[in-house]
Amino acid sequence: MAKKIVAGNWKMNKNLQEGIELAKGLNEALAADKPNCGVVICTPFIHLAKVSEIINHNVIGLGAENCADKASGAFTGEVSAEMVKSTGAEYVILGHSERREYYNETPEILKEKVDLALANGLKVIFCIGESEAQRDKNEQNAVVKAELEGSVFHLSAEQFKNIVIAYEPIWAIGTGKTATADQAEEIHAYIRSVIAEKYGAEVAADTSILYGGSCKASNAPELFAKPDIDGGLIGGASLKVADFKGIIDAWK
Ligand code: 13P
């Protein structure tokens, strides 16, 4: 059975003080009311070391939103997977559509990042998903399959156990337009079938496949009720404790 996970992606929000407050608030809320799923928060790099000291890692996992495609050296401004790991973080988001689109991250670059993240003991939340134009042409299955083949299907089955997949249709991110639960389930089931073809049914069944894109407390229960939706990757609604907790509680 795949682990159920609700992960937050803060994106480029919250200064250090605000981020500390948010992490403290979430830690307190989940200490008072234990979650029924794995919870992860992925923060900007500068928050990681501080937030790592604040949270109970038995309840809340910590992740970065990116890491470098090089191990170390003269790459001004970059942050390596090893550095991320050294903060106490356990996860890193890779392949987010915003990084693919605005920072020209290609499948080859993402493959390098995935390899470095795993080599440094991080779990990868790997994002895939089609644009609105691609869905209009009914190309969503081909798009997500190519994204998996391009950056994670070179891994061994043993390595692939450290990959969490996040299906995030680009047209649903930050738009308030959520995929319907049926639409999401259809492609999640497809993604699981592609993983099964590559790694076998057992690995596929154990892979957490999260939905992301305008997920909130009001639509999370319907999405999470679907057999192939193992949780969510949450942007906007992860920035307030009550909103994020509302989604976490969808697993109760
Ligand atoms: P929103 O929840 O703000 O739509 O963002 C989803 C997302 O991109 C998470 O990575």
Side-chain angles (χ1 to χ4, degrees):
M1 267 286 274
K3 185 176 175 182
K4 309 305 178 198
I5 300 172
V6 174
N9 174 8
W10 291 5
K11 307 194 178 182
M12 196 171 74
N13 294 294
K14 304 286 177 191
N15 66 30
L16 181 59
Q17 289 72 31
E18 292 165 347
I20 289 170
E21 282 315 300
L22 177 55
K24 271 188 187 158
L26 184 67
N27 198 58
E28 282 164 18
L30 297 183
D33 184 18
K34 287 250 174 297
N36 226 354
C37 62
V39 174
V40 179
I41 52 176
C42 298
T43 81
F45 292 128
I46 64 141
H47 298 68
L48 291 172
K50 270 281 185 199
V51 167
S52 185
E53 290 171 8
I54 291 168
I55 56 174
N56 176 356
H57 287 257
N58 295 321
V59 180
I60 305 176
L62 180 64
E65 301 172 14
N66 182 28
C67 70
D69 62 340
K70 304 286 191 300
S72 68
F75 301 100
T76 302
E78 288 295 295
V79 175
S80 70
E82 184 188 358
M83 292 172 187
V84 169
K85 179 72 179 178
S86 73
T87 66
E90 297 104 350
Y91 291 85
V92 61
I93 296 173
L94 293 174
H96 196 284
S97 57
E98 289 153 13
R99 302 245 17 125
R100 292 179 193 261
E101 186 176 348
Y102 308 143
Y103 300 97
N104 305 316
E105 294 194 359
T106 62
E108 295 73 29
I109 291 171
L110 291 171
K111 190 175 168 193
E112 298 298 322
K113 293 188 178 201
V114 165
D115 287 344
L116 285 163
L118 296 185
N120 283 284
L122 293 167
K123 290 183 192 299
V124 173
I125 301 175
F126 189 74
C127 303
I128 56 178
E130 81 286 356
S131 67
E132 184 147 47
Q134 288 165 330
R135 179 156 286 258
D136 286 345
K137 287 186 269 173
N138 202 30
E139 290 172 356
Q140 61 273 13
N141 287 7
V143 169
V144 297
K145 186 174 189 202
E147 286 176 330
L148 292 169
E149 287 172 345
S151 307
V152 292
F153 273 6
H154 64 290
L155 299 172
S156 69
E158 205 47 43
Q159 288 176 312
F160 193 81
K161 290 177 184 166
N162 295 303
I163 304 287
V164 171
I165 300 295
Y167 168 67
E168 300 205 313
I170 298 168
W171 47 271
I173 296 177
T175 57
K177 247 198 227 179
T178 325
T180 65
D182 286 338
Q183 257 177 340
E185 169 58 20
E186 190 182 354
I187 191 156
H188 277 234
Y190 173 73
I191 292 164
R192 203 179 300 283
S193 76
V194 171
I195 296 169
E197 258 170 47
K198 173 75 188 168
Y199 293 110
E202 195 177 329
V203 171
D206 287 346
T207 302
S208 302
I209 307 177
L210 314 183
Y211 169 80
S214 299
C215 184
K216 39 192 185 282
S218 57
N219 57 27
E222 196 188 347
L223 287 159
F224 297 175
K226 295 293 183 185
D228 290 296
I229 302 180
D230 301 307
L233 181 57
I234 319 299
S238 72
L239 298 174
K240 285 192 184 141
V241 173
D243 293 348
F244 195 49
K245 172 86 167 39
I247 299 171
I248 293 165
D249 288 346
W251 282 116
K252 293 206 162 166

